[in-house]
Amino acid sequence: MTDTLTTTTPLADDVRAALQACGVDLSVVGGDAQVASPITGEPLIGARLDTVADIDAAVGRAAEAFPAWRDTPAPLRGQLVKRWGELLTEHKEHLATLVTAEVGKTPSEARGEVQEMIDIADLAVGQSRQLFGKTMPSERPGHRLQEVWHPLGVVGVISAFNFPVAVYAWNTALALVCGDTVVWKPADAARLSAIAVDALLAKAVSEAGAPKGIHQLLLTDADGSRKLVEDPRVALVSATGSVRMGREVAPAVAARFGRTLLELGGNNGAIVAPSADLDLALRGVVFAAAGTAGQRCTTLRRLFVHSSVADQLTKRVVAAYESLAVGDPREDGVLVGPLVNQRSYEAQQAALAAAREQGGTVLAGGDRELADAHPDAYYVRPAVVSMPDQTAIVHEETFAPILYVMTYDDLGEAIALHNAVPQGLSSAIFTTDQGEAERFLSSAGSDCGIANVNIGTSGAEIGGAFGGEKETGGGRESGSDAWKAYMRPSTQTVNYSGQLPLAQGVTFI
Ligand code: NAD
C-alpha cells in the first residue's frame, strides 16, 4: 500500500466511492502504479503492478479452469454472463464515474460505453444457445458430415485506453459463453475501471458457482503484456490498440502458431456529396470528428467535400468547432474533455506543424486551453485543417482531434482518395443520391470494415461485427459471426453404412 491511498481530492473521493460500490476492497487496490486523471492531472489511487511471476500464475489459473468451464453447457455459461450484465446495469453509474475520472470521457459518453457492455452481455446470453455448426451433405452413402464449434482455451485480451471497459466486455462476454477463460491486460491509464469491472465479474462467478479461475486481471505495462502474448498457453490474443502495438503482437503470436484478433488504428474518412443534407452532415461530422476529443478508433479524421458545397460546409464546421464547449467533462454542457496525456497533446501539435509544412491551413482550433487552471491536464480545441491534397501527415492516425478537409469533383476520385491510406476501419458518405450511396457501399467502394450512409464514422452498435481491414488488423468483435473467433471448428464425419467407401471415389483395400 502507498500513501496515494490517503490522497483526498474530490475526484479521488468519487473514484474511491465508485470502487467500493462495485465491491472492490480498497485495502488490496493500493500499489505503485499511479493513475492520474486527465481531467486535472491529479493522482487518483495507485494500483498494484503485477510481476512476471504473477502473469505466469494468472495464465496458469486460467488454463487450469478451462476444462471445467469448457465442459459446462453453453446455456449455463450464458447464465453467468446474464448475471454479469445485471451487475453492470446496477453499477452503470459507478463504472461511468470511473471511466470519466480515468480517461476523461463526458459522463454521457462514459455511460454509453458501459451500456455497450450491457448490450454485449445481452447478445452473448442469446448467443449461448446459438453456437450453431452446419450439417453438410456427404458424398458418401450412409455418412453424416457436420461441423461442431468447440471452446478454444485461454483468451488473452489486451485493451486500449480509449474504450477501457467496453472492448474487454465485447471479448469477454462472447469468450465466456463460448467456453473460454480470459486473462485481461487493461490499458495502463484505466486500471481502476478494470478492477471494478473485474470485481463485478468475480461476484457473478461466485454466485453462479463457476470456476474462479475463468477470469484473470493483469495489472501490468506493455512489457508484462508481451509475456502474455508470448505464452503458449494463450490460444487467442485479442489485442486492441495502435498499429505499432499490432506490429509487435502479431508476429510474436504467429511465431508460436497462436491466433490473433487485432483491432488496430483507424484513419477514418467521410465523403460529403453535392446532394447531401448539409444540416445532417454537419452534425454527423462534428460528433464523429470532435466527440470523445478525437480519441475514438472510429473518429473522423479525413473529410472529402464536393467542391460545390465545400465552402458552405467548411464554414459551418469551423463555426461549430469554435462554439464547442471544451473543459472538465463533468461540467454541464461540456462536449470535449481532455486529451489522455501530454504525449497526445504533443502528437497533436507535431501533426499540426507537419500539416502546415505540407500546405495545410488551420481553420479552427488546435490550441491548448485551460492551461492556467489545469497545468497538468491537456485540453485542446479540436482542429479543422484545410489540406490541398492528401499529404503524408493525412495518411497517419494522430490520436487527437484533427479533421483534415479536402475537396473533390468526381466521386470515383473521392473514393480512390478515401481508400488510399494504410488503415481501413470506418467510413461514411453523406448523400441523398441512392446511386452514390450504393457505389460507396459496393465492393468497388469503401475498403473499410465499416461503411455508413448518412451517419458519421463513429458510434457503432454491438449487433454488427466491428473491425477493419489493412493495417487495422482484420479482426471482428461483438456481433454477427464474431463469436467464431473464440471457438475452433471440428469437422466430423460419421459412417453408419457398415461399408467403407472412400471420398473422391478412391479405392484401396
Ligand atoms: P497502444 O497501442 O499504446 O496500447 C494498447 C494496449 O496494448 C495497452 O494495453 C498497452 O499496454 C498494450 N501494448 C502496447 N505495446 C504492446 C506490446 N508490444 N505487446 C503487448 N501489449 C502491448 O494504444 P492506446 O494508446 O492505448 O490506444 C489508442 C489506439 O488504439 C489508437 O491507435 C486507436 O485507433 C486504437 N484502437 C482501436 C480500436 C479498434 O477497435 N480498431 C479500438 C480502440 C482503440
Side-chain angles (χ1 to χ4, degrees):
M1 221 179 294
T2 66
D3 59 358
T4 54
L5 263 180
T6 60
T7 307
T8 303
T9 62
L11 257 173
D13 285 350
D14 289 352
V15 163
R16 208 184 304 267
L19 284 168
Q20 274 176 321
C22 293
V24 175
D25 176 357
L26 287 184
S27 68
V28 299
V29 172
D32 294 333
Q34 194 57 257
V35 176
S37 174
I39 298 175
T40 53
E42 72 197 72
L44 296 172
I45 299 176
R48 70 166 204 268
L49 202 53
D50 289 325
T51 63
V52 170
D54 295 330
I55 297 166
D56 185 60
V59 177
R61 286 191 294 272
E64 214 170 286
F66 173 62
W69 189 239
R70 175 196 64 199
D71 297 342
T72 303
L76 287 188
R77 301 193 298 244
Q79 290 308 302
L80 163 70
V81 173
K82 184 174 178 189
R83 180 65 189 132
W84 189 35
E86 287 166 0
L87 291 169
L88 294 171
T89 308
E90 208 177 297
H91 294 282
K92 183 171 174 179
E93 209 53 43
H94 301 130
L95 294 173
T97 297
L98 293 169
V99 168
T100 293
E102 284 193 298
V103 305
K105 288 191 183 189
T106 62
S108 168
E109 291 190 279
R111 284 185 203 111
E113 165 146 16
V114 182
Q115 187 59 45
E116 281 194 46
M117 306 175 79
I118 297 164
D119 291 346
I120 192 72
D122 281 351
L123 184 139
V125 176
Q127 192 73 64
S128 71
R129 291 184 184 268
Q130 300 176 82
L131 304 174
F132 299 135
K134 288 177 179 153
T135 303
M136 289 73 86
S138 169
E139 66 186 52
R140 289 168 282 183
H143 283 58
R144 180 160 57 82
L145 180 57
Q146 65 178 16
E147 172 189 271
V148 176
W149 290 85
H150 291 315
L152 198 56
V154 178
V155 175
V157 178
I158 298 170
S159 54
F161 84 85
N162 66 317
F163 272 94
V165 289
V167 170
Y168 166 66
W170 291 358
N171 281 279
T172 301
L174 286 178
L176 288 178
V177 299
C178 289
D180 302 325
T181 60
V182 179
V183 182
W184 179 19
K185 189 279 176 209
D188 302 2
R191 293 190 172 121
L192 302 176
S193 313
I195 289 170
V197 165
D198 186 64
L200 294 174
L201 182 52
K203 185 169 186 206
V205 164
S206 144
E207 286 177 14
K212 268 187 170 173
I214 61 173
H215 66 112
Q216 300 291 321
L217 175 64
L218 288 182
L219 298 180
T220 181
D221 55 14
D223 283 339
S225 191
R226 284 187 190 93
K227 298 278 173 242
L228 176 68
V229 163
E230 287 161 9
D231 195 313
R233 293 169 295 179
V234 180
L236 168 70
V237 174
S238 174
T240 302
S242 58
V243 171
R244 180 203 56 72
M245 177 274 282
R247 272 193 219 291
E248 293 185 37
V249 167
V253 180
R256 60 175 180 81
F257 296 100
R259 291 195 195 178
T260 49
L261 193 171
L262 299 175
E263 292 284 2
L264 309 175
N267 189 1
N268 315 294
I271 295 172
V272 180
S275 70
D277 172 341
L278 290 188
D279 292 338
L280 188 144
L282 175 72
R283 287 168 53 213
V285 164
V286 175
F287 171 68
T292 328
Q295 299 172 114
R296 285 195 189 210
C297 49
T298 50
T299 288
L300 176 61
R301 307 196 183 280
R302 302 176 297 130
L303 186 63
F304 304 96
V305 193
H306 192 269
S307 53
S308 63
V309 290
D311 275 356
Q312 196 188 344
L313 183 70
T314 308
K315 275 191 190 122
R316 292 182 69 184
V317 171
V318 166
Y321 266 53
E322 281 168 350
S323 69
L324 281 173
V326 178
D328 184 329
R330 295 167 302 168
E331 284 172 18
D332 276 351
V334 166
L335 293 175
V336 180
L339 295 180
V340 72
N341 54 31
Q342 183 174 0
R343 232 182 20 255
S344 292
Y345 169 68
E346 287 166 0
Q348 191 206 27
Q349 295 306 304
L352 290 173
R356 284 191 189 95
E357 271 167 32
Q358 292 166 28
T361 307
V362 179
L363 303 176
D367 293 327
R368 188 166 171 197
E369 299 196 356
L370 302 168
D372 290 342
H374 299 300
D376 298 321
Y378 293 87
Y379 291 89
V380 287
R381 180 159 299 278
V384 182
V385 183
S386 160
M387 295 300 292
D389 52 35
Q390 190 159 258
T391 63
I393 191 63
V394 186
H395 284 71
E396 288 176 26
E397 180 200 48
T398 301
F399 212 61
I402 303 177
L403 178 64
Y404 299 110
V405 183
M406 292 153 279
T407 57
Y408 78 92
D409 289 309
D410 167 70
L411 183 60
E413 170 208 351
I415 291 174
L417 273 174
H418 172 273
N419 291 348
V421 294
Q423 312 83 353
L425 182 53
S426 187
S427 61
I429 188 167
F430 289 90
T431 179
T432 54
D433 177 330
Q434 193 182 354
E436 286 190 329
E438 295 294 340
R439 206 171 147 195
F440 183 74
L441 297 175
S442 76
S443 57
S446 162
D447 64 357
C448 291
I450 298 169
N452 296 333
V453 176
N454 293 328
I455 303 171
T457 50
S458 64
E461 298 179 22
I462 57 99
F466 182 94
E469 301 302 328
K470 302 191 287 184
E471 287 189 0
T472 302
R476 291 295 186 277
E477 287 174 352
S478 77
S480 186
D481 275 356
W483 62 271
K484 291 183 174 171
Y486 306 89
M487 303 200 85
R488 61 179 177 88
S490 165
T491 301
Q492 306 175 343
T493 312
V494 178
N495 173 10
Y496 57 92
S497 70
Q499 310 295 315
L500 197 64
L502 300 180
Q504 294 87 43
V506 172
T507 53
F508 200 59
I509 48 170

